[in-house]
Amino acid sequence: MKNKPKKIAVLTSGGDAPGMNAALRAVVRTSVFYGAECYAIQQGYQGLIDNDFKLMNARSVNNIINKGGTIIKSARCLEFRTPEGRKLAYENLKKSEIDALVVIGGDGSFTGAMIFQEEYDFPIVGIPGTIDNDIFGTRYTLGYDTAINTVVEAIDKIRDTASSHNRLFFVEVMGRDAGHIALNSGIGAGAEEILIPEENLGLERLLESLKKSEKSGKSSSIVVIAEGDKTGKNVFEIASYVEKNLPYYEVRVSVLGHMQRGGTPSCFDRVLASRMGVCAVETLLEGKSKVMIGVIDDQMVLTPLEKAIKGKSEINSNLIKVSDILSI
Ligand code: ADP
């Protein structure tokens, strides 16, 4: 980059996640701290195309660190996927003399950012915001910690009912491609079995395990299933398959759905968002771009956007063993 940016814009894009507001606050205040102007773009990439920019100051982000969702809104923007849409976005940025951009979002948002940066040589830094924790280059994404705490709280409540009625509950949690939420919330809530996209245990093994649980004296059980588990069946199909084969269990299904995305961010997510926001602006001011901010071993780490998009975030396979041992 030639010059230190003087006007930095920030947007939230893709699925919302708790901690996005805390990251926005950090980006705005760090820009102001270092003497740069900061503009919030409404509705993700749509706001770039619609020229919907708002000049922020340190007070514009008062009292948002504790709020879920994103006050500057997020949107899925089809126009930004077209060269014409991105051209409009670039022209609007130039008109406002904005010279750098922070994108808070998931890998779809980063793909858009990378294409845009390549086409227009426009400096961009990404902050990973998604509850799925499925982005390469960071141990944690914004919103993930809050989401697993939300899920654990929900499963604790479900367990009260399960144990009062000798029921077997199948709880579906988010995670189409990654089992982080299922695996960690499953262990945290003491689930008997956890089905994740990274591993195909097969339905026979599930039946065997539940039979063993019943024989060992458990009268109720919880099975946590990630949306994208590998059995090829959805949670309702799995539940009815088990009910047919283990008639002594009264089976119920609970799909947690969008409640997992919302809520007050945990302290962990607020601190993570604050650190990432500060680091994103400092990175741009140091003249670096086309990178994603991450945290690994408690250190801030920069990963090229391209690698962040293409790389796979691995689950900790030791957790599978922990779950197997503790669910006897
Ligand atoms: P997430 O960032 O949570 O993965 P999406 O995949 O919906 O969410 O992406 C968010 C937005 O990023 C899209 O609505 C679109 O505007 C932009 N985007 C995603 N993929 C591309 C792409 N290949 N080219 C340009 N823009 C993209």
Side-chain angles (χ1 to χ4, degrees), residues 11-16 20 43-46 49 74-82 86 103-116 129-130 132 134-135 261:
L11 59 82
T12 51
S13 172
D16 64 299
M20 282 184 160
Q43 313 227 38
Y45 291 123
Q46 193 60 50
I49 289 164
S74 184
R76 308 228 188 249
C77 172
L78 288 179
E79 252 181 298
F80 197 73
R81 291 177 182 268
T82 66
R86 292 192 294 274
V103 171
I104 307 170
D107 55 3
S109 305
F110 293 162
T111 305
M114 211 181 68
I115 295 170
F116 187 70
T130 163
D132 293 330
D134 59 349
I135 295 186
R261 268 192 203 283

Side-chain angles (χ1 to χ4, degrees), residues 159 162-167 192 208-222 248-249 327-328:
R159 191 177 282 285
S163 57
S164 304
H165 295 276
N166 297 346
R167 279 180 186 156
E192 276 63 37
E208 282 315 306
S209 158
L210 292 171
K211 270 185 210 160
K212 252 203 319 213
S213 284
E214 203 266 340
K215 281 208 183 88
S216 75
K218 287 190 187 181
S219 57
S220 67
S221 285
I222 305 269
Y248 41 84
Y249 272 122
S327 60
I328 52 168

Side-chain angles (χ1 to χ4, degrees), residues 15-20 23 104-107 110 126-149 178 180-181 260-261 265-274 276 292-296 300 308 311-314:
D16 64 299
M20 282 184 160
I104 307 170
D107 55 3
F110 293 162
I127 293 180
T130 163
I131 64 164
D132 293 330
N133 205 32
D134 59 349
I135 295 186
F136 179 82
T138 189
R139 177 77 181 81
Y140 299 106
T141 57
L142 290 188
Y144 166 66
D145 181 71
T146 305
I148 53 177
N149 280 295
H180 296 284
I181 293 181
Q260 295 164 85
R261 268 192 203 283
S266 65
C267 179
F268 181 90
D269 274 329
R270 296 181 201 194
V271 175
L272 184 69
S274 301
M276 286 179 166
M292 184 197 81
I293 309 295
V295 171
I296 297 174
M300 306 313 292
K312 182 150 173 49
S313 80
E314 303 287 343

Side-chain angles (χ1 to χ4, degrees), residues 55-242:
L55 178 61
M56 307 292 273
N57 61 47
R59 298 285 73 78
S60 331
V61 287
N62 281 351
N63 300 327
I64 63 165
I65 194 167
N66 54 336
K67 291 201 164 71
T70 159
I71 62 160
I72 56 172
K73 315 273 183 196
S74 184
R76 308 228 188 249
C77 172
L78 288 179
E79 252 181 298
F80 197 73
R81 291 177 182 268
T82 66
E84 297 76 24
R86 292 192 294 274
K87 183 163 183 282
L88 255 177
Y90 179 70
E91 284 164 359
N92 287 333
L93 285 166
K94 280 288 116 189
K95 250 190 275 165
S96 299
E97 297 178 321
I98 289 167
D99 40 20
L101 177 63
V102 177
V103 171
I104 307 170
D107 55 3
S109 305
F110 293 162
T111 305
M114 211 181 68
I115 295 170
F116 187 70
Q117 171 141 20
E118 269 161 15
E119 283 174 346
Y120 294 102
D121 193 23
F122 197 90
I124 303 182
V125 163
I127 293 180
T130 163
I131 64 164
D132 293 330
N133 205 32
D134 59 349
I135 295 186
F136 179 82
T138 189
R139 177 77 181 81
Y140 299 106
T141 57
L142 290 188
Y144 166 66
D145 181 71
T146 305
I148 53 177
N149 280 295
T150 302
V151 171
V152 163
E153 211 183 306
I155 299 177
D156 285 348
K157 289 176 180 157
I158 288 169
R159 191 177 282 285
D160 288 347
T161 300
S163 57
S164 304
H165 295 276
N166 297 346
R167 279 180 186 156
L168 169 59
F169 260 92
F170 289 87
V171 182
E172 187 195 85
V173 302
M174 282 186 174
R176 275 204 195 96
D177 307 305
H180 296 284
I181 293 181
L183 195 52
N184 283 274
S185 63
I187 290 175
E192 276 63 37
E193 277 293 337
I194 303 167
L195 304 189
I196 53 175
E198 289 85 349
E199 204 200 30
N200 189 0
L201 292 177
L203 290 174
E204 290 314 308
R205 223 222 70 174
L206 176 64
L207 284 185
E208 282 315 306
S209 158
L210 292 171
K211 270 185 210 160
K212 252 203 319 213
S213 284
E214 203 266 340
K215 281 208 183 88
S216 75
K218 287 190 187 181
S219 57
S220 67
S221 285
I222 305 269
V223 177
V224 173
I225 303 182
E227 276 172 314
D229 87 280
K230 281 283 184 295
T231 56
K233 292 189 189 299
N234 69 34
V235 66
F236 293 97
E237 291 165 343
I238 295 172
S240 69
Y241 176 81
V242 170

